[in-house]
Amino acid sequence: MIRTDDKSLCCGCGACVGVCAVQAITMQTDAMGFRYASVAEDICIGCGRCEQVCAFQKAILRSDSLSAEQPAAYAVRSRDPEALRRSTSGAAGYHLMDAFAAAGGVVYGARFDGPFLVRHERAETRADIGPLRTTKYTQSETDGVFARVQADLDAGRPVLFTGTPCQTAALAASVSGRDRLLLADVLCHGVSAPAVWRACLEDASRRYGVPVASAAFRDPVGRWSETVSSVLFADGTRRTFRHWARLYQKNLMLRPACARCPYASLHRPADVTLGDCWGIGKVRPDWAADDLGASLLLVHTAAGKAWAERLQADWECVPVPLNAVMQPSMTAPVRPGEQADAFARDFLAHGYAFVRRRYAARSLRERWRLLKWNVKRFLKRIGLWR
Ligand SMILES: Cc1cc2nc3c(=O)[nH]c(=O)nc-3n(C[C@H](O)[C@H](O)[C@H](O)COP(=O)(O)OP(=O)(O)OC[C@H]3O[C@@H](n4cnc5c(N)ncnc54)[C@H](O)[C@@H]3O)c2cc1C
Ligand code: SF4
Ligand code: SF4
Ligand code: SF4
């Protein structure tokens, strides 16, 4: 039977729920909005199927080996200005999903279901794929999704599944027909607490006196290198804010499992990995200067390579040395912020407005570093800094 005594051993993928023949497992939501597998021991018949399917616990507890090959790395930018504008980074994710569906495949990815909730959904057309683009930094629910993927695979359909590495690993462990399944994961800093996102939007609604119609964790309309969230109110007004992103970047509200993530490495259970190409200035200074965004594409398998080559007409793809684009999520799991426990206590006791004021304000040191960074970037843009 899977272990449920330690929250850091469950990434919330839900794979175990789908394999339990006696429905002994349900997903329970905690106060931070994270979902965890829970076993009704009086119903469990001890068959061990949940333990077999739990890729996350296997990878942590038994150090299951992943591919040891170094992936090929590319900086990618869409040739279509509109696609670039509407995606989080360089629109690599969008073009992969769009081309896969256009070739007759089925795509699964994360989309908003209302402003608060993120869910994995199935898409076959360009219109369905639109909402899957852009990064949602909270956990995406996958209830029933693995069974739908299996049904598509059984029907002979090629499937592209995009998600966090723990979701793609869970899916790979749950379904048969891997030869028809293409897996695209993201470089993953960790998922944030869904309850904090909801409370953040409710706080905005209270402050401005209008209900929230939709929102974005990281608004693609603006400078790519700056993480700015946005909210669209029911009266049509739009506001941007940075406090939620600061809480995320300070690692104050991440899922406990993220601190033990076995996929924070270059070796992934996926065909390709998508990320932000933060080292872009070292290989394409012009892309860094215009700040429109660039995706990082890591190619792990022959199937991934074939798709990357197929998309040359849609995107510009520049090989990059791995050491120029390395970032923390490729080397080690994220470390929770020193104030993470205090943040959770304060959030649960006093709500979002309180933690926004107490934890999202920048310290003098952070303000100084930001000022230096902005000056350097400005000087680079006008050609006075190389
Ligand atoms: C929780 C999370 C943490 C991340 N951390 C990092 C990081 O530390 N470093 C880094 O370089 N990049 C990180 N990324 C990835 C990055 O923000 C972009 O997704 C990536 O740059 C691709 O951008 P794009 O323009 O190519 O794709 P887009 O066209 O914007 O497509 C985004 C893709 O991500 C998938 N996706 C979005 N939200 C979720 C979600 N909540 N759960 C599962 N799948 C989702 C969508 O299905 C879609 O396929 C993270 C993404 C997520 C979801
Ligand atoms: S990680 Fe996934 S499979 Fe494992 S216990 Fe949690 S929900 Fe179940
Ligand atoms: S051991 Fe078998 S019966 Fe018990 S919870 Fe796991 S899958 Fe269900
Ligand atoms: S950091 Fe690891 S455990 Fe956390 S959401 Fe990302 S892949 Fe899953």
Side-chain angles (χ1 to χ4, degrees), residues 296-313:
L296 179 66
L297 178 72
L298 301 180
V299 175
H300 305 282
T301 64
K305 185 165 179 257
W307 273 99
E309 284 166 0
R310 217 165 145 167
L311 283 157
Q312 295 302 323

Side-chain angles (χ1 to χ4, degrees), residues 354-371:
F354 183 88
V355 291
R356 167 168 54 75
R357 285 192 291 267
R358 173 164 289 192
Y359 297 91
R362 284 205 178 99
S363 65
L364 273 177
R365 198 157 151 241
E366 283 167 334
R367 280 185 218 185
W368 173 239
R369 277 173 43 196
L370 187 70
L371 180 71

Side-chain angles (χ1 to χ4, degrees), residues 34-333:
F34 292 121
R35 303 174 85 227
Y36 295 93
S38 165
V39 178
E41 292 189 18
D42 53 329
I43 302 177
C44 170
I45 52 170
C47 69
R49 289 180 73 191
C50 53
E51 202 180 322
Q52 277 161 23
V53 85
C54 182
F56 195 75
Q57 292 191 7
K58 272 193 212 159
I60 289 187
L61 301 172
R62 300 184 210 152
S63 309
D64 277 17
S65 60
L66 299 166
S67 149
E69 296 228 338
Q70 295 282 73
Y74 303 89
V76 172
R77 179 181 272 191
S78 172
R79 297 183 193 278
D80 172 359
E82 184 59 11
L84 185 60
R85 199 180 68 82
R86 298 179 64 144
S87 293
T88 297
S89 297
Y94 168 68
H95 282 300
L96 182 60
M97 295 187 290
D98 187 50
F100 198 88
V106 179
V107 175
Y108 287 83
R111 62 171 285 166
F112 275 107
D113 183 359
F116 306 127
L117 198 68
V118 181
R119 260 190 221 295
H120 257 66
E121 261 308 335
R122 183 180 188 278
E124 283 192 89
T125 64
R126 183 166 282 182
D128 294 340
I129 282 165
L132 305 186
R133 63 181 149 198
T134 74
T135 301
K136 295 91 184 170
Y137 285 104
T138 193
Q139 186 140 28
S140 168
E141 285 189 19
T142 52
D143 291 7
V145 166
F146 293 2
R148 292 175 78 190
V149 171
Q150 185 66 72
D152 281 323
L153 293 171
D154 290 344
R157 301 291 302 274
V159 174
L160 164 64
F161 181 91
T162 65
T164 57
C166 55
Q167 288 173 331
T168 55
L171 179 71
S174 306
V175 296
S176 54
R178 177 72 176 86
D179 54 323
R180 287 189 297 287
L181 177 63
L182 190 77
L183 295 173
D185 67 9
V186 289
L187 286 181
C188 192
H189 181 83
V191 281
S192 69
V196 178
W197 176 246
R198 172 182 280 272
C200 164
L201 299 184
E202 286 170 351
D203 175 51
S205 175
R206 248 190 319 272
R207 282 162 84 195
Y208 298 107
V210 195
V212 172
S214 65
F217 288 90
R218 185 168 155 193
D219 197 319
V221 187
R223 292 192 311 200
W224 168 63
S225 56
E226 202 179 359
T227 302
V228 178
S229 312
S230 70
V231 55
L232 181 69
F233 291 103
D235 64 0
T237 53
R238 181 176 161 274
R239 284 183 184 270
T240 55
F241 56 94
R242 290 174 174 76
H243 42 82
W244 180 89
R246 275 188 219 130
L247 300 175
Y248 178 68
Q249 285 157 354
K250 288 181 172 182
N251 301 340
L252 294 176
M253 50 180 177
L254 298 176
R255 190 175 176 104
C258 300
R260 297 182 74 174
C261 182
Y263 309 115
S265 89
L266 285 171
H267 310 303
R268 306 305 197 87
D271 297 290
V272 294
T273 296
L274 303 165
D276 304 299
C277 195
W278 291 131
I280 190 64
K282 295 179 202 150
V283 281
R284 285 293 299 252
D286 54 330
W287 286 4
D290 66 20
D291 212 4
L292 293 175
S295 304
L296 179 66
L297 178 72
L298 301 180
V299 175
H300 305 282
T301 64
K305 185 165 179 257
W307 273 99
E309 284 166 0
R310 217 165 145 167
L311 283 157
Q312 295 302 323
D314 296 309
W315 65 34
E316 220 180 317
C317 185
V318 187
V320 289
L322 265 173
N323 59 8
V325 291
M326 286 301 284
Q327 53 166 292
S329 54
M330 297 176 188
T331 54

